[in-house]
Amino acid sequence: MPEQEVGFEEFLAPGRDREQARVVHKALQHLAAGGAGDVLQEMAREVLSGRVGLREAVRVGAYADALGEHAHVAHKAWEGMTEEERDRCLADARSSLDAEGA
């Protein structure tokens, strides 16, 4: 039986609207599926299950280190893209969110 998962509403916070909360939720689902390695998969599963809050999770050394490394790699990849590739990537992301009702 699959584990219960918190909804995107769990990630609403001051300064974060519903769309941003959905983006956070979707990113955690991607990580929970193994999209960035075992450490971030564990972190995302803990957060999505409600056992650990997002703020608490990012304070855990191993999780923070893995997030930092993943962000660095993603940033380098973004910088290596052409303007057209970036535009296409953004359009794909927006389309995906629109399809999910974000």
Side-chain angles (χ1 to χ4, degrees), residues 6-48:
V6 298
F8 77 91
E9 299 86 0
E10 182 72 20
F11 306 106
L12 290 170
R16 186 180 303 139
D17 62 23
R18 294 177 70 78
E19 182 176 339
Q20 291 168 325
R22 286 179 197 248
V23 169
V24 169
H25 189 250
K26 182 72 174 171
L28 285 166
Q29 289 174 323
H30 174 73
L31 295 174
D38 294 341
V39 174
L40 292 181
Q41 182 179 37
E42 176 186 301
M43 181 209 68
R45 287 181 176 173
E46 291 294 305
V47 173
L48 287 171

Side-chain angles (χ1 to χ4, degrees), residues 42-79:
E42 176 186 301
M43 181 209 68
R45 287 181 176 173
E46 291 294 305
V47 173
L48 287 171
S49 72
R51 289 187 294 270
V52 175
L54 184 56
R55 289 176 192 238
E56 181 183 4
V58 299
R59 291 185 184 121
V60 173
Y63 296 161
D65 291 346
L67 281 169
E69 179 60 30
H70 188 69
H72 178 73
V73 169
H75 180 71
K76 287 188 75 89
W78 181 260
E79 285 187 333

